[in-house]
Amino acid sequence: MAARSDREREFGEFVALRYADLVRTAVLLTGDRGHAEDLVQRALLAVFRSWDRLDRLANAEAYTRTTMVRLESRWWRRRWRAEVPTERLPDRPIGDHAAGVDTAEVVRQALASLPWAQRAVLVMRYFEERSEAEIAEVLGCSPGTVKSRASRGLAALRAVVDIEGVSGRERRG
């Protein structure tokens, strides 16, 4: 019984320490806070089931993030696509609120508009700072595919978002 309580205590400490960061990553992957929290919960359940096999905190976060990406990837492959939600209702007047929009929110919205594979690559590459090889392993594709998805995703973001560090106007010499 003591081993089980140690296991639960260690897992609880991990969750308390890393939950907010995991939700931030999940929001970038899903584009929706509620869906992100559900994704983190499902991933944490899988991690808890595998806790004894993990090298505790050293591997737990990487395992959790990889699990989140795989779970979300499955969701995108299985989801029903008959209805397409829109951000704006057609019967509502829309004013120009661009001046008051936070840059981070603009980037999140632009990221959410990308196809799942491009979004996953950009989140893992630039938010989690994973290498192309690591991303390829998680997604089950080649490093070349990771590079092309990153390139296309960044190009799409640059077309929508015009901020320093993301804009395509500034070229390195």
Side-chain angles (χ1 to χ4, degrees), residues 59-116:
N59 294 329
E61 185 171 2
Y63 184 84
T64 305
R65 290 177 186 274
T66 298
T67 301
M68 287 170 29
V69 169
R70 289 183 177 159
L71 286 171
E72 185 63 5
S73 176
R74 278 189 226 129
W75 183 85
W76 273 95
R77 283 194 303 263
R78 293 180 182 165
R79 77 181 186 125
W80 182 54
R81 292 182 177 89
E83 294 179 13
V84 180
T86 61
E87 289 195 24
R88 298 179 184 145
L89 295 175
D91 58 344
R92 294 180 64 192
I94 298 173
D96 183 15
H97 302 288
V101 177
D102 183 38
T103 302
E105 183 60 27
V106 171
V107 172
R108 274 192 294 275
Q109 288 175 359
L111 193 60
S113 72
L114 294 177
W116 158 247

Side-chain angles (χ1 to χ4, degrees), residues 13-64:
E13 289 172 1
F14 165 71
V15 171
L17 186 65
R18 304 307 307 157
Y19 186 79
D21 290 333
L22 294 171
V23 170
R24 262 192 303 275
T25 298
V27 167
L28 293 174
L29 286 171
T30 65
D32 176 72
R33 175 97 181 160
H35 186 73
E37 289 179 357
D38 290 344
L39 176 62
V40 171
Q41 292 297 318
R42 288 188 327 224
L44 288 172
L45 178 61
V47 170
F48 183 71
R49 290 177 179 158
S50 303
W51 192 254
D52 292 331
R53 292 182 297 164
L54 298 175
D55 185 20
R56 301 298 189 260
L57 295 177
N59 294 329
E61 185 171 2
Y63 184 84
T64 305

Side-chain angles (χ1 to χ4, degrees), residues 103-104 106-107 157-158 160-170:
T103 302
V106 171
V107 172
L157 286 180
R158 286 183 184 117
V160 175
V161 180
D162 185 25
I163 58 173
E164 185 178 327
V166 178
S167 176
R169 296 181 188 155
E170 297 174 20

Side-chain angles (χ1 to χ4, degrees), residues 132-150:
E132 290 163 348
E134 290 173 323
I135 297 168
E137 183 179 331
V138 169
L139 295 178
C141 62
S142 71
T145 300
V146 170
K147 289 178 188 179
S148 67
R149 288 177 180 170

